[in-house]
DNA sequence: CTAAGTTTGTTTAATGAATTTACAAACTTT
DNA sequence: AAAGTTTGTAAATTCATTAAACAAACTTAG
């Protein structure tokens, strides 16, 4: 059912717009908001005063005048509440407490051995509880929890399938909501990463971007017109399983020649082990490359080539303005970048490529956790802007 | 800038909703609309009366009662205006005059030899003018022109690049608007086809679908949540240039092993010519296959396999509910379908595949032209719903 | 055939958010 | 000090929706 229009809706729309400007363009005056938005000064004044009353905005003092009464500058009150973000990894979890602007107040990183769903969930709950307890006093308190997971999540926040964790059908959202009595948002780690980069990282200025998370597998979060794009059923971007060789080796997904068989951390390690004859991990490979080991550098360069092959497919399939490469493999940027760019130069269509940027993540391993916290904040505003207006 | 809210907006929203129900659920009474939408009877009554006044709705007579006053049934007035749709092909164009419901009133199919942009454009204008002149008398007359083209179009309706026509940078929209003084919408033929299938074809009941147009090249139109998805810069879905073999043969786009090198009409003909030793066209191949020519049937089956490879990529990358295969090659459905479905069964991820349908187009070569006409109608409603409400 | 109940659609008054207009306060510039 | 600018608030007006009441038109039970 489509949402019908009424006065409530109008107020909600305008209040959201005013709050948006206070959040992003602050410090800003009432008059300036009226000018930018096209709303009258009276309307802006009234909405701003309600926002101040609900502690989301505050007056910070007078600003500079350009030949008239000095404006009263407004600031978003980032400490009216706090959010929890968690990046649940295969062998570790990173959790943060942020304020409403996304500023990290506290951070906890914990290893786990993924013995069972239950054990990891217990650890997760403990970690979240600890962060909640250390949150500073504030008007709204902790307003919600966001969680990025390495797997497929449905619209009800059930973790349907997480191959690298070996989990299936875990009702994460309802479990956590029951435990803490707070709103919980769960999404794929690549989606969270995309939002993290969009809000706080390299993608701040870009409306359309794709965040490619290169870890054990490859995932992607797609942002179109400033919004996360989800496929039909809420999960999209199983981009690691786009085949780059139709008669290639068999993938556990059933298909042949999937991109992540060639360009993931797992692919790199496997290749390295075959060539070196013993088990290795990513950290040691990075060290070796750093010290000039030609064989290992070659491995990275080859990975760069394969990354490029998939990136060209992304460009042709989605036509983004900006591709951000993240995940743990981003540490190999130094050796991956050149072969990747060479390949793009050669192979991508001229029209889509015109204004394309490709970069490695700025936030490194924090994209996902910050995006997760941002989910919680977004959900909070989506709900309060309605309820506040009812008062 | 975000759109602010005011009473105008509210009315526009509600009027659009009411009109939507009259268009899709008719015959329907005012009371029933109020019930479905949640608007009050008074509001619905007022909006319906305005729609009647502007000739977009009409009262058709009383309906059946269930124990009270009989309802006055409402109908959408499809003949309040007419739209032109054109599917501009590489060697022909198909043009239709439809009413506002999309019903075809008149159809013209014309061959052309694509001698020059100018000549084809002249032919296009002649064809459109003829259809306009034969349009029945109506309140709004011909309300706009929609055009599907085999190439990349920007937001201003410039045809940037149409490789199979050999055209570049043609300001189609402004040319046609200047010529006819009517609103013109231009889009890629695959996008138009997707909208056509969504409105009038196999996709009527589906909110998320991908229409794959298999012609000389391969294109795709993507509909997510009932809306056409466009990439960052307005054109997306150059899906034919997703590589299915990273070290495959060189494509004119610069990349290697593009899908359309394996699964397009062009690929089929090339293959056939190599095996048969002389030039052939699609029609003759279809005839041969129909008469049981094992060699030709084998060619189609192989094409089916390659179609499947790309379709699996689409599934993993976009996660649609429904894939509709259209374009001229759809005529080979009989031999393409089985190998394609076999491959899907084997290779696609279990989760996305769960509720997936794959079908060949119902509308055959009319998907694009109907979608194009529908663009014009949609644009008309988007504009009138505003202007009508100002009166 | 009548009375009671139901359903439809209109009328009237109330609500409330934005706009328009006016204005006071607080500045800068000449 | 006077004139002009800019900011923010106040009062009156506008207008689409809602709520409540109601008239008209119909079905059904007895």
């Amino acid at each position: 059912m489509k949402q019908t229009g009424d006065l409530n809706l109008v107020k909600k729309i305008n209040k959201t717009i005013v709050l948006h400007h206070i959040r992003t363009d602050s410090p800003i005056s009432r008059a300036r908001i009226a000018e930018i938005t096209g709303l009258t000064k009276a309307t802006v004044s009234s909405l701003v005063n309600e926002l101040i009353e609900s502690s989301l905005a505050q007056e910070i003092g007078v600003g500079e005048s350009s030949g008239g009464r000095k404006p009263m500058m407004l600031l978003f009150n980032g400490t009216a509440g706090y959010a929890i973000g968690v990046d649940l990894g295969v062998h570790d979890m990173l959790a943060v407490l942020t304020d409403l602007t996304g500023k990290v107040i506290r951070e906890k990183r914990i290893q786990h051995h993924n013995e069972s769903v239950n054990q990891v969930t217990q650890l997760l709950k403990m970690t979240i509880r600890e962060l909640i307890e250390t949150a500073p006093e504030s008007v709204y308190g902790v307003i919600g929890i966001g969680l990025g997971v390495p797997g497929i999540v449905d619209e009800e926040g059930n973790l349907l399938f997480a191959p690298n964790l070996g989990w299936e059908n875990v009702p994460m959202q309802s479990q956590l909501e029951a435990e803490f009595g707070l709103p919980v948002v769960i999404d794929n780690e690549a989606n969270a990463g995309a939002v993290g980069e969009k809000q706080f990282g390299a993608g701040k200025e870009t409306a359309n971007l794709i965040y490619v998370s290169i870890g054990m597998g490859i995932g992607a979060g797609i942002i179109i017109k400033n919004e996360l794009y989800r496929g039909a059923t809420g999960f999209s971007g199983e981009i690691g399983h786009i085949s780059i060789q139709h008669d290639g080796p068999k993938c556990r997904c059933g298909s042949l020649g999937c991109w992540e068989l060639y360009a993931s951390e797992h692919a790199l390690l496997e290749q390295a082990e075959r060539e070196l004859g013993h088990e290795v991990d990513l950290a040691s490979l990075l060290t070796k490359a750093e010290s000039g080991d030609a064989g290992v550098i070659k491995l990275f360069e080859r990975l760069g080539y394969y990354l490029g092959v998939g990136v060209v497919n992304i460009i042709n399939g989605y036509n983004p303005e900006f591709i951000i490469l993240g995940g743990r493999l981003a540490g190999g940027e130094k050796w991956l970048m050149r072969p990747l760019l060479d390949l793009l130069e050669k192979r991508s269509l001229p029209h889509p490529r015109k204004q394309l940027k490709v970069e490695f993540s700025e936030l490194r391993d924090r994209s996902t956790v910050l995006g997760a916290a941002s989910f919680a904040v977004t959900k909070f505003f989506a709900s309060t802007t309605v309820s506040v207006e009812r008062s």
Side-chain angles (χ1 to χ4, degrees), chain A:
Chain A
M1 205 39 265
K2 254 182 200 164
Q3 187 57 50
T4 57
D6 61 359
L7 291 183
N8 257 358
L9 178 71
V10 170
K11 187 160 187 180
K12 183 180 163 186
I13 290 173
N14 292 338
K15 203 168 190 173
T16 304
I17 292 175
V18 169
L19 181 58
H20 171 82
H21 285 290
I22 294 179
R23 287 224 281 164
T24 56
D25 305 334
S26 71
I28 190 170
S29 68
R30 291 169 174 84
R32 177 88 183 113
I33 294 176
E35 195 186 337
I36 299 176
T37 57
L39 294 167
T40 61
K41 290 185 293 177
T43 303
V44 171
S45 221
S46 148
L47 293 174
V48 163
N49 290 338
E50 284 183 33
L51 287 170
I52 289 175
E53 214 158 304
S54 57
S55 301
L56 292 177
Q58 56 193 154
E59 298 184 328
I60 197 70
V62 291
E64 278 312 292
S65 158
S66 61
R69 173 172 162 183
K70 285 187 173 168
M72 176 57 73
M73 303 312 277
L74 302 165
L75 222 56
F76 174 61
N77 182 10
T79 59
Y82 295 88
I84 307 274
V86 186
D87 175 5
L88 180 59
V90 178
H91 291 115
D92 58 356
M93 59 179 81
L94 178 59
V96 295
L97 177 76
T98 74
D99 67 15
L100 295 180
T101 69
K103 198 180 108 191
V104 174
I105 306 296
R106 190 132 179 277
E107 180 173 309
K108 260 184 87 80
R109 191 185 299 267
I110 289 178
Q111 306 296 315
H112 67 80
H113 306 292
N114 189 26
E115 277 104 356
S116 71
V117 175
N118 222 349
Q119 272 181 296
V120 176
T121 310
Q122 282 310 318
L123 197 59
L124 177 66
K125 287 179 183 169
M126 268 181 50
T127 310
I128 292 174
R129 187 163 298 286
E130 205 185 310
L131 287 177
I132 290 178
E133 277 164 4
T134 59
E137 279 301 304
S138 61
V139 182
Y140 292 100
V142 172
I143 51 85
I145 301 166
L147 185 58
V149 294
I152 295 175
V153 179
D154 71 9
E155 276 143 328
E156 280 78 44
N158 300 306
L159 175 51
L160 296 178
F161 183 52
N164 292 319
L165 279 168
W167 294 10
E168 246 175 271
N169 294 315
V170 184
M172 270 285 176
Q173 181 177 332
S174 54
Q175 270 186 37
L176 292 178
E177 280 180 345
E179 177 83 14
F180 296 107
L182 290 173
V184 173
V185 188
I186 313 235
D187 208 328
N188 179 271
E189 56 96 15
N191 283 346
V195 170
E197 291 288 342
K198 165 73 192 145
Q199 297 279 352
F200 310 110
K204 262 178 286 194
E205 312 297 322
T206 317
N208 307 282
L209 65 86
I210 294 192
Y211 171 81
V212 180
S213 158
I214 318 160
M216 295 311 274
I218 295 185
I222 302 164
I223 289 181
I224 300 289
K225 292 189 186 144
N226 296 315
E227 274 181 30
L228 199 55
Y229 159 80
R230 297 156 196 279
T233 38
F235 42 88
S236 79
E238 276 304 305
I239 245 169
H241 295 284
I242 285 184
S243 169
I244 63 167
Q245 180 133 25
H246 67 88
D247 54 356
K250 183 141 187 151
C251 178
R252 63 179 160 68
C253 79
S255 187
L256 310 182
C258 291
W259 185 28
E260 71 175 44
L261 296 179
Y262 299 83
S264 65
E265 181 179 336
H266 192 259
L268 177 77
L269 296 182
E270 211 172 56
Q271 192 66 31
E273 279 162 24
R274 195 155 26 203
E275 302 215 345
L276 300 174
H278 58 86
E279 218 172 277
V280 288
D281 61 5
L282 181 59
S284 72
L285 284 180
L286 285 170
T287 314
K288 275 186 185 160
E290 197 64 63
S291 67
D293 183 322
V296 173
I297 288 178
K298 197 137 202 174
L299 285 178
F300 276 105
E301 287 176 347
R302 221 165 101 185
L303 197 89
Y305 164 84
Y306 282 118
L307 273 178
V309 170
V311 168
V312 168
N313 280 345
I314 292 176
I315 295 171
N316 290 341
Y318 291 96
N319 186 28
E321 294 166 40
F322 192 10
I323 295 180
I324 301 174
L325 302 167
R328 310 208 306 176
L329 252 177
E333 169 174 1
K334 206 195 268 187
W335 308 284
L336 298 170
M337 199 56 165
R338 206 177 37 78
L340 195 161
L341 288 180
D342 282 355
L343 190 123
L344 288 198
E345 191 59 39
K346 268 188 246 152
R347 295 201 189 175
S348 62
L349 276 168
H351 267 108
R353 202 190 41 197
K354 226 189 283 179
Q355 49 213 28
L356 180 84
K357 280 188 300 181
V358 178
E359 283 177 20
F360 280 80
S361 161
E362 271 181 15
L363 302 171
R364 295 290 147 177
D365 63 351
R366 276 185 186 76
S367 327
T368 296
V369 77
L370 290 178
S374 161
F375 281 147
V377 173
T378 302
K379 184 166 188 167
F380 171 66
F381 283 127
S383 64
T384 33
T385 340
V386 192
S387 72
V388 162
E389 137 236 54
R390 278 199 194 131
S391 67

